[in-house]
Amino acid sequence: EAGVAQSPRYKIIEKRQSVAFWCNPISGHATLYWYQQILGQGPKLLIQFQNNGVVDDSQLPKDRFSAERLKGVDSTLKIQPAKLEDSAVYLCASQLGTTVGELFFGEGSRLTVL
Amino acid sequence: KNEVEQSPQNLTAQEGEFITINCSYSVGISALHWLQQHPGGGIVSLFMLSSGKKKHGRLIATINIQEKHSSLHITASHPRDSAVYICAPANTGNQFYFGTGTSLTVIP
């Protein structure tokens, strides 16, 4: 069974530039999460989708971050314009159902903003 | 106050030692996950439990719902166990609360 796919693995940009990350969850997984993990900290939820609907985006900095999951399958997270403090690993995770279940993570996309 | 507290934050052990990582949480949960993150790597789910105890190889996870406490034990530790271990309780709305992790180093 293929795992959660993310790309790119690494990205270096200058501040004020834009960047997009892509995630393809495990086939059939209804719930998809985007997390931001800053070095030395635990993951912080940015947005949670159930199918193509947003369940929780309360911690998403909406002035610069956006995310979509138009067909309820893969998802894109965009940052525009990037700030230095956005340097982090962006993790995508998925779950089969919409209630309690095992969480599957991708390898993450490491962003460095210069 | 953090919803999830893990201890210790850092742990160094000799190969073969028995290791315990503790997690206390303050939120109501439907399940608690233990996750493993290797340096530069992604996160792998080790356990999901809502009561009692689970065992997988040399790893054992326990949870006491009444006391809001969980432990992860590693028996006969090995250098390949070196990683960050993260406790992540989840509430009934499937919202996860992540601890800051315990960084484990096992020395040969």
Side-chain angles (χ1 to χ4, degrees):
Chain A
E1 177 183 81
V4 177
Q6 287 190 247
S7 66
R9 285 295 311 277
Y10 304 94
K11 188 75 176 178
I12 300 174
I13 60 173
E14 298 198 345
K15 60 184 180 183
R16 291 187 288 273
Q17 287 187 322
S18 63
V19 62
F21 302 111
W22 175 81
C23 172
N24 194 18
I26 294 172
S27 178
H29 278 203
T31 303
L32 184 149
Y33 304 85
W34 281 103
Y35 292 98
Q36 180 193 60
Q37 187 177 27
I38 292 171
L39 190 64
Q41 300 180 17
K44 171 191 160 188
L45 178 68
L46 293 175
I47 190 166
Q48 176 185 352
F49 293 97
Q50 281 182 5
N51 298 306
N52 60 350
V54 175
V55 174
D56 184 354
D57 65 356
S58 57
Q59 296 188 83
L60 186 74
K62 297 181 185 63
D63 57 334
R64 298 184 302 106
F65 286 64
S66 65
E68 59 184 18
R69 193 185 184 200
L70 291 175
K71 296 180 181 177
V73 181
D74 59 342
S75 176
T76 303
L77 175 71
K78 295 180 181 176
I79 307 174
Q80 182 180 7
K83 293 185 175 181
L84 297 176
E85 59 262 34
D86 298 332
S87 294
V89 176
Y90 291 86
L91 295 163
C92 179
S94 70
Q95 276 181 316
L96 177 61
T98 58
T99 57
V100 63
E102 189 176 355
L103 202 56
F104 295 86
F105 284 86
E107 289 292 314
S109 295
R110 182 178 297 275
L111 173 66
T112 302
V113 182
L114 303 175
Chain B
K1 182 184 186 299
N2 294 330
E3 293 94 352
V4 184
E5 298 279 355
Q6 281 186 241
S7 64
Q9 285 190 314
N10 297 283
L11 180 57
T12 300
Q14 288 292 133
E15 183 173 357
E17 284 186 9
F18 181 85
I19 288 162
T20 295
I21 299 170
N22 294 301
C23 174
S24 295
Y25 54 92
S26 58
V27 295
I29 68 167
S30 60
L32 183 142
H33 299 245
W34 279 101
L35 309 170
Q36 180 193 57
Q37 186 171 32
H38 283 283
I43 297 176
V44 175
S45 177
L46 298 175
F47 293 103
M48 181 184 71
L49 67 166
S50 53
S51 66
K53 174 180 170 178
K54 285 190 175 181
K55 185 176 189 290
H56 184 231
R58 296 180 295 105
L59 303 180
I60 303 167
T62 64
I63 188 168
N64 185 319
I65 296 293
Q66 288 73 29
E67 294 186 3
K68 296 191 173 183
H69 182 269
S70 178
S71 294
L72 177 68
H73 306 284
I74 304 176
T75 61
S77 59
H78 190 277
R80 65 175 174 268
D81 297 327
S82 298
V84 174
Y85 293 84
I86 301 171
C87 170
N91 64 16
T92 53
N94 226 14
Q95 180 182 11
F96 286 82
Y97 300 86
F98 291 90
T100 53
T102 294
S103 179
L104 171 65
T105 302
V106 181
I107 300 171

